[in-house]
């Protein structure tokens, strides 16, 4: 039964009031749903700091945003490659030096369906290294600033978490023996969700105040597949974008903007489209399958992530 909390049309940006004085940090904010989220937040007077890999694409995005919202629009970018932990640490340091408040950190950037096994410079399978380990360190480094602001963390997941093996392959995290694009992507998004739900537990146990939310964009027409997927995957996706099963990137941004701004949301939940197969439709609380918050697996993944990245959380 679809969530009716926000009425028959679900959550839409019309619910937003002024966001003047608030700061939102978004990974992958120069394209797709991340760019659309930046647009929505800027339209309400917020400050947006984008953490992006490409300086060229970021400068083009800044130009477009300032043309739309005026030269005084408070939007900037910090170069960060999520697949390189040194880059993540440097970017986090720059954010801490230049951004006095973080009302929400939106972990939006990702790569998907990489056709052949690739390793990051740190030796991690590329999808796990980028989507999970990079955000794991970034959130940890910015956590104190977020807490000082009484802010929140938003993890943008994927319905893909419910595919593949539905757990973490701890005995072969890089999938050296059985690499396959889709199951590995599924594990990387499941890992992100497990990180978020485990972080919720740790925050609660320590009596801290940061809220953590998980959402997904549904099936949205973004550049995600075309950026990292193989040829056949890109062709199939292009065909899908011509069907009613795919919505616009702007609508794909609604769940992350909602989770970054709306009060009264449940934390142990998954927000996104609630229509057909939860690919499209009104935004609200969707289906969350129990394997995404298996406590034994979540706790082990946290320890594995700290050891792999060399980053120790203080919560």
């Amino acid at each position: 039964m679809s969530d009716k909390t926000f009425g028959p049309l679900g959550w839409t940006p019309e619910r937003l009031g002024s966001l003047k004085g608030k700061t939102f940090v978004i990974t992958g904010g120069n394209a797709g749903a991340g760019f659309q989220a930046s647009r929505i937040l800027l339209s309400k007077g917020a400050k947006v700091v984008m953490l992006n890999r490409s300086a060229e694409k970021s400068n083009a995005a800044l130009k477009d945003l300032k043309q739309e919202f005026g030269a005084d629009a408070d939007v900037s970018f910090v170069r960060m490659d999520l697949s390189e932990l040194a880059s993540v640490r440097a970017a986090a340091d720059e954010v801490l030096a230049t951004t006095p408040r973080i009302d929400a950190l939106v972990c939006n950037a990702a790569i998907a369906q990489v056709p052949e096994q690739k390793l990051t410079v740190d030796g991690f399978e590329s999808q796990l290294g980028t989507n999970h380990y990079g955000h794991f360190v970034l959130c940890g480094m910015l956590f104190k600033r977020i807490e000082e602001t009484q802010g929140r963390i938003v993890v943008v997941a994927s319905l893909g978490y419910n595919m593949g093996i539905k757990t973490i392959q701890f005995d072969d995290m890089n999938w050296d023996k059985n690499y396959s694009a889709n199951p590995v992507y599924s594990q990387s998004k499941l890992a992100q969700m497990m990180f978020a739900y485990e972080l919720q537990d740790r925050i609660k146990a320590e009596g801290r105040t940061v809220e953590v939310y998980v959402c997904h964009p549904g099936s949205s027409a973004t550049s995600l597949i075309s950026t990292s997927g193989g040829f056949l995957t890109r062709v199939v996706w292009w065909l899908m974008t011509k069907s009613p099963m795919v919505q616009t990137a702007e609508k794909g941004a609604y769940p992350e903007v909602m989770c970054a701004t709306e009060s009264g949301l449940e934390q142990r939940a998954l927000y996104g489209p609630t229509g057909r197969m939860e690919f499209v439709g009104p935004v609200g609380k969707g289906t969350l399958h129990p394997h995404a918050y298996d406590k034994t697996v979540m706790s082990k993944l946290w320890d594995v992530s700290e050891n792999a990245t060399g980053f120790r959380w203080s919560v």
Side-chain angles (χ1 to χ4, degrees), residues 18-289:
S18 172
L19 296 175
K20 193 170 181 60
K22 294 186 179 293
T23 300
F24 298 87
V25 178
I26 306 178
T27 67
N30 61 356
F35 178 75
Q36 296 300 328
S38 298
R39 285 186 65 247
I40 294 168
L41 295 168
L42 285 167
S43 75
K44 300 297 181 178
K47 173 180 179 177
V48 174
V49 179
M50 302 186 293
L51 305 184
N52 308 320
R53 181 175 54 186
S54 169
E56 182 181 358
K57 291 180 180 178
S58 298
N59 285 323
L62 291 180
K63 182 179 178 181
D64 289 344
L65 292 168
K66 285 181 178 289
Q67 282 183 342
E68 181 173 3
F69 300 110
D72 293 333
D74 200 346
V75 57
S76 60
F77 92 95
V78 173
R79 190 190 175 279
M80 182 186 74
D81 186 340
L82 272 171
S83 72
E84 299 181 15
L85 294 184
S87 176
V88 173
R89 290 173 181 272
D93 284 339
E94 185 171 343
V95 171
L96 290 173
T98 59
T99 309
R101 64 178 296 128
I102 301 175
D103 292 275
L105 168 60
V106 182
C107 301
N108 164 82
I111 59 173
Q113 279 87 36
V114 178
E116 296 179 356
Q117 186 198 45
K118 292 183 179 179
L119 300 182
T120 69
V121 294
D122 301 295
F124 308 132
E125 185 281 315
S126 63
Q127 294 177 91
L128 184 71
T130 302
N131 301 346
H132 171 54
Y133 286 145
H135 281 122
F136 180 85
V137 173
L138 179 68
C139 290
M141 291 191 67
L142 298 183
F143 184 82
K144 185 177 179 182
R145 180 63 45 85
I146 297 167
E147 185 174 38
E148 289 169 349
T149 313
Q150 295 183 310
R152 57 181 75 181
I153 292 171
V154 179
V155 171
V156 181
S158 163
L159 289 178
Y161 88 96
N162 198 39
M163 301 168 67
I165 61 174
K166 300 185 181 182
T167 190
I168 305 299
Q169 186 172 277
F170 287 115
D171 62 343
D172 184 9
M173 295 289 283
N174 280 354
W175 296 68
D176 293 324
K177 300 173 184 175
N178 58 338
Y179 186 87
S180 181
N182 288 328
V184 176
Y185 172 68
S186 298
Q187 177 176 258
S188 75
K189 300 309 285 186
L190 175 60
Q192 284 190 266
M193 294 173 70
M194 287 186 156
F195 154 67
Y197 297 133
E198 177 66 13
L199 180 56
Q200 289 173 356
D201 289 352
R202 290 173 181 245
I203 288 170
K204 184 177 180 180
E206 292 293 326
R208 311 287 277 271
T209 57
V210 174
E211 296 174 347
V212 182
Y213 298 103
V214 182
C215 65
H216 70 92
S219 185
S220 302
T222 71
S223 60
L224 179 61
I225 301 296
S226 60
T227 300
S228 50
F231 175 74
L232 182 59
T233 304
R234 295 199 301 270
V235 170
V236 172
W237 176 245
W238 183 84
L239 292 171
M240 278 188 66
T241 61
K242 310 305 175 187
S243 78
M245 293 300 290
V246 176
Q247 61 188 5
T248 64
E250 182 179 7
K251 287 187 176 179
Y254 288 5
E256 60 190 77
V257 176
M258 177 186 75
C259 286
T261 59
E262 186 72 35
S263 59
L265 299 178
E266 290 182 42
Q267 291 194 71
R268 195 63 124 231
L270 177 61
Y271 289 94
T274 60
R276 189 181 305 171
M277 296 175 67
E278 299 187 0
F279 281 13
V280 295
V283 170
K285 188 173 76 169
T287 304
L288 175 60
H289 296 279

Side-chain angles (χ1 to χ4, degrees), residues 1-12 15 258 265-266 271-276 281-286:
M1 188 174 187
S2 61
D3 180 22
K4 302 296 184 185
T5 302
F6 302 109
L9 299 180
W11 189 93
T12 66
R15 287 184 59 87
M258 177 186 75
L265 299 178
E266 290 182 42
Y271 289 94
T274 60
R276 189 181 305 171
V283 170
K285 188 173 76 169

